[in-house]
Structures are given as C-alpha cells and as structure tokens.
Amino acid sequence: MANSLHVPLAYLPKNLPQLQNEIANVFVEFGEMPPITEFEKKNNHEESLLKNFIMVNGESEEMQCWISFNECPEEISERAGYNYIAVIQTRRNVNFAGIVAYGLCKSAGYIVFNDSGFFDGQESYTAESLKTILKLKLIHK
C-alpha cells in the first residue's frame, strides 16, 4: 500500500509545464536535482491535470511518487476557497514525496495532511514546518 500526503489547493497549476517548474524549483531549493515530471498516460489524449496521474521520477529508483488532482469540498479541505486537493503517493522514498508535497503547498496550499503518519507522526504541516522536517531528514540521510 502506498503512503500518501494530501494538499488542499486554492487553485491548480495551469498546465503540466507550470507544475514541472514548481516542482523543479523546490528540489533546487533543497539542493537536489529536479525530477522528471510527466503524465503517466493521457486519458483520451487530454492534458488535464484533473484527468491524469502525474509521475514524478528522480535520479534513482527510490525517488518516485505520483500525484492525482481532484476537486474537493471545503469540508474536506477545511478552508474556504480551497476547492482542489493534490494527493501525493509513494511506495518508495517518503522524503522525495514530501518535497513534492511541500512544493504544492508552497505554491497554492496552506497545509499538508500527513495521512500516513510518516516523518515525525504529526497529522499536518504548514509549508514551513514541512520544509524544516525535510531539511533535517535530508541532512541525516
């Protein structure tokens, strides 16, 4: 079973190139090589973020996660105006997935729900608190 992080979003990236740029920027912020971010496969050749899974692949086999974007009621997002949610899942390196979640939260979110309880077991993080946890974990890897 995959570990997952959920990020309520005020808006979605406009397209895959914008998402690629947002993710690449946060990996550089952590001193890591930007990953390859691409559609897993396009449904009906549509390039909609809402209709496709996004694969994020880093330098090694352990650095992999996928993102799905969905519409989301405010009861789930827990904040007015946050009508989308990004679900970041991995069966591999949770720190890698955490950097992706941090990037999405930093660009359009306000919180990361830590449904799997990894990192230090907290239920949620702000972008800044997740950045702090990830920097500590990456230093000690």
Side-chain angles (χ1 to χ4, degrees):
M1 182 175 229
N3 293 309
S4 61
L5 298 164
H6 295 81
V7 184
L9 304 169
Y11 57 88
L12 294 178
K14 292 179 185 173
N15 50 35
L16 184 61
Q18 182 182 4
L19 176 63
Q20 290 168 327
N21 188 52
E22 289 173 1
I23 291 173
N25 287 340
V26 294
F27 273 83
V28 170
E29 186 179 327
F30 280 89
E32 302 284 333
M33 290 293 298
I36 296 170
T37 304
E38 59 193 356
F39 287 117
E40 200 270 323
K41 59 177 140 173
K42 296 179 203 167
N43 291 328
N44 300 320
H45 304 287
E46 288 187 47
E47 293 199 2
S48 167
L49 296 177
L50 283 171
K51 296 182 181 183
N52 295 285
F53 283 95
I54 311 300
M55 294 300 300
V56 184
N57 294 295
E59 296 178 79
S60 72
E61 192 175 295
E62 282 300 304
M63 296 178 168
Q64 181 187 66
C65 67
W66 61 95
I67 308 167
S68 59
F69 292 98
N70 299 288
E71 292 182 16
C72 171
E74 291 175 358
E75 296 81 37
I76 293 174
S77 72
E78 298 183 359
R79 185 170 282 190
Y82 286 75
N83 298 315
Y84 299 98
I85 196 158
V87 181
I88 301 95
Q89 296 181 297
T90 189
R91 289 189 176 106
R92 311 270 171 117
N93 185 314
V94 295
N95 296 329
F96 182 85
I99 295 173
V100 173
Y102 163 72
L104 292 168
C105 186
K106 181 180 175 183
S107 67
Y110 76 98
I111 198 164
V112 175
F113 292 117
N114 184 18
D115 286 355
S116 296
F118 47 79
F119 306 126
D120 62 358
Q122 289 187 54
E123 292 180 7
S124 62
Y125 302 92
T126 64
E128 284 306 310
S129 66
L130 181 55
K131 179 180 178 181
T132 300
I133 294 289
L134 289 167
K135 286 209 176 247
L136 287 170
K137 291 198 164 288
L138 293 173
I139 288 170
H140 294 67
K141 65 178 180 176

